[in-house]
Amino acid sequence: MNKDAYLPPSEVPQSAIDDFAERLHRHLQNLIPADFEAFGARVTAIVDDMVPPNARDTYRTPFYVIGLATFEVGNLGQKIRRYQFVERYKFFVDMPDTEIGMAFHEHCYEVRNAEFYGILERGEALIRFAAALAAELDSGDEKAPSKYTRNFRRKFVHRLRERHRRTHAHERPSLVSRMLQIGEIKTKEERQVLERFLRNTYSTVTAAFEAIQEKLQEDERIPSMRDPVTFQKWYLQRVDEEAATMWHLFTDALSAAVKMPNDTSGSSNCEATQKG
């Protein structure tokens, strides 16, 4: 991996996560009437699934319930932010041999695809929790969790599909999966088979790539892989944009779930990415 291609993560800064969690906490606190004592059975059941049995009595007051919600929002924000780092591991790890390096690249690919599924599931659960809180305070949108799931699946259908392919044996592997699973070449015959496969694959991918490029504006075109440094920098930026999109999908849906006004101060790089 060429170290000159490295770019630090550019999206979902910690300050944006902290700011959103703080605004959510303040908004929920402001919704609670002075005489409000405890949430009902629905919220209590959700909380009981989130905390250890010996801590449940503590999480019966509105203060602790709201604190739990905002704490988990911060945790998911960290998970989304750290997604950007997975693709960057390879810049900091020197592999002792080719086989370990190939296993490491395949593992990173598995982790990235798995993260989408985890963020989707945890995001929907948190939005459902927030909507239940708000509903008991006469404020919220209980359709927000399903809207989030629908929008997330539509945006990241290829990532979720790839995770499914690599998990279930009945699915046909994608081209990327096949490339990652190529073993160490030990014989002349193996090399000949691989070279034939790569030649066929290269011609197919190149034709598809050129057809896509022709349909794009000049500033949207993908850099050539013949310039690996430029291509890798471009790829890292796309990874960061995925994190930004996940963060926006989550925060927009959660804000809708509790009817919290959107922040108009423009606190992160994410909005610029969405428009770019």
Side-chain angles (χ1 to χ4, degrees), residues 76-88:
L76 185 59
Q78 284 278 8
K79 189 173 183 65
I80 293 171
R81 169 173 166 73
R82 289 172 182 168
Y83 167 78
Q84 301 169 104
F85 290 84
V86 178
E87 186 61 27
R88 290 167 166 85

Side-chain angles (χ1 to χ4, degrees), residues 16 24 41 48 52 54 79 86 90 97 102 107 123 126 128 167 204 270 275:
L24 175 65
D48 286 353
N54 60 359
K79 189 173 183 65
V86 178
K90 59 193 71 171
D97 60 56
M102 292 174 71
H107 174 70
L126 276 174
R128 200 172 300 283
T167 303
T204 302
C270 300
K275 295 173 184 175

Side-chain angles (χ1 to χ4, degrees), residues 21 24-25 59 66-77 122 126:
L24 175 65
H25 191 277
Y59 288 91
I66 291 173
L68 177 64
T70 53
F71 176 75
E72 290 299 331
V73 165
N75 283 346
L76 185 59
R122 289 181 59 184
L126 276 174

Side-chain angles (χ1 to χ4, degrees), residues 194-253:
L194 177 60
E195 287 176 350
R196 195 159 49 244
F197 168 74
L198 291 177
R199 276 197 301 271
N200 293 337
T201 300
Y202 180 79
S203 60
T204 302
V205 171
T206 300
F209 181 78
E210 291 175 351
I212 292 172
Q213 291 282 73
E214 290 177 0
K215 297 178 182 179
L216 298 175
Q217 299 295 328
E218 187 171 349
D219 60 346
E220 296 176 323
R221 289 176 183 168
I222 302 169
S224 171
M225 291 186 187
R226 294 187 180 91
D227 181 357
V229 171
T230 300
F231 179 83
Q232 188 63 41
K233 286 182 176 180
W234 172 88
Y235 189 74
L236 290 177
Q237 290 169 341
R238 302 293 81 73
V239 170
D240 294 355
E241 287 178 8
E242 287 179 325
T245 300
M246 284 190 281
W247 176 244
H248 274 287
L249 288 171
F250 172 66
T251 56
D252 287 352

Side-chain angles (χ1 to χ4, degrees), residues 75 101 148 163 175 180 190 200 212 251:
N75 283 346
Y148 165 78
R163 185 259 181 190
L175 174 61
L180 287 171
E190 288 177 343
N200 293 337
I212 292 172
T251 56

Side-chain angles (χ1 to χ4, degrees), residues 22-209:
E22 182 180 335
R23 289 195 302 112
L24 175 65
H25 191 277
R26 190 165 54 244
H27 175 75
L28 292 175
Q29 289 279 28
N30 290 339
L31 291 178
I32 297 178
D35 58 349
F36 190 85
E37 295 184 357
F39 287 101
R42 182 182 169 199
V43 170
T44 299
I46 296 173
V47 171
D48 286 353
D49 286 339
M50 298 174 69
V51 301
N54 60 359
R56 287 173 180 170
D57 288 344
T58 301
Y59 288 91
R60 292 292 181 255
T61 65
F63 175 81
Y64 280 101
V65 172
I66 291 173
L68 177 64
T70 53
F71 176 75
E72 290 299 331
V73 165
N75 283 346
L76 185 59
Q78 284 278 8
K79 189 173 183 65
I80 293 171
R81 169 173 166 73
R82 289 172 182 168
Y83 167 78
Q84 301 169 104
F85 290 84
V86 178
E87 186 61 27
R88 290 167 166 85
Y89 292 163
K90 59 193 71 171
F91 286 95
F92 299 95
V93 180
D94 293 323
M95 296 299 160
D97 60 56
T98 302
E99 194 168 15
I100 291 178
M102 292 174 71
F104 178 73
H105 280 275
E106 184 174 4
H107 174 70
C108 288
Y109 185 69
E110 294 272 11
V111 170
R112 279 186 60 200
N113 287 312
E115 285 295 276
F116 282 90
Y117 190 79
I119 290 166
L120 170 62
E121 292 262 306
R122 289 181 59 184
E124 181 182 358
L126 276 174
I127 295 163
R128 200 172 300 283
F129 179 26
L133 288 178
E136 292 202 23
L137 301 171
D138 300 320
S139 176
D141 177 7
E142 299 225 42
K143 294 182 179 179
S146 58
K147 290 178 182 176
Y148 165 78
T149 298
R150 186 167 58 251
N151 290 336
F152 193 104
R153 287 187 177 279
R154 183 185 301 122
K155 184 65 180 177
F156 295 114
V157 60
H158 63 296
R159 292 290 184 198
L160 296 169
R161 178 71 176 135
E162 183 67 352
R163 185 259 181 190
H164 185 81
R165 278 175 165 170
R166 292 183 66 82
T167 303
H168 299 284
H170 67 271
E171 292 284 353
R172 184 176 68 249
S174 68
L175 174 61
V176 175
S177 292
R178 290 187 185 279
M179 297 294 287
L180 287 171
Q181 290 172 345
I182 293 173
E184 187 176 5
I185 307 303
K186 296 180 179 179
T187 68
K188 180 180 179 181
E189 290 74 18
E190 288 177 343
R191 181 174 297 280
Q192 289 173 342
V193 170
L194 177 60
E195 287 176 350
R196 195 159 49 244
F197 168 74
L198 291 177
R199 276 197 301 271
N200 293 337
T201 300
Y202 180 79
S203 60
T204 302
V205 171
T206 300
F209 181 78

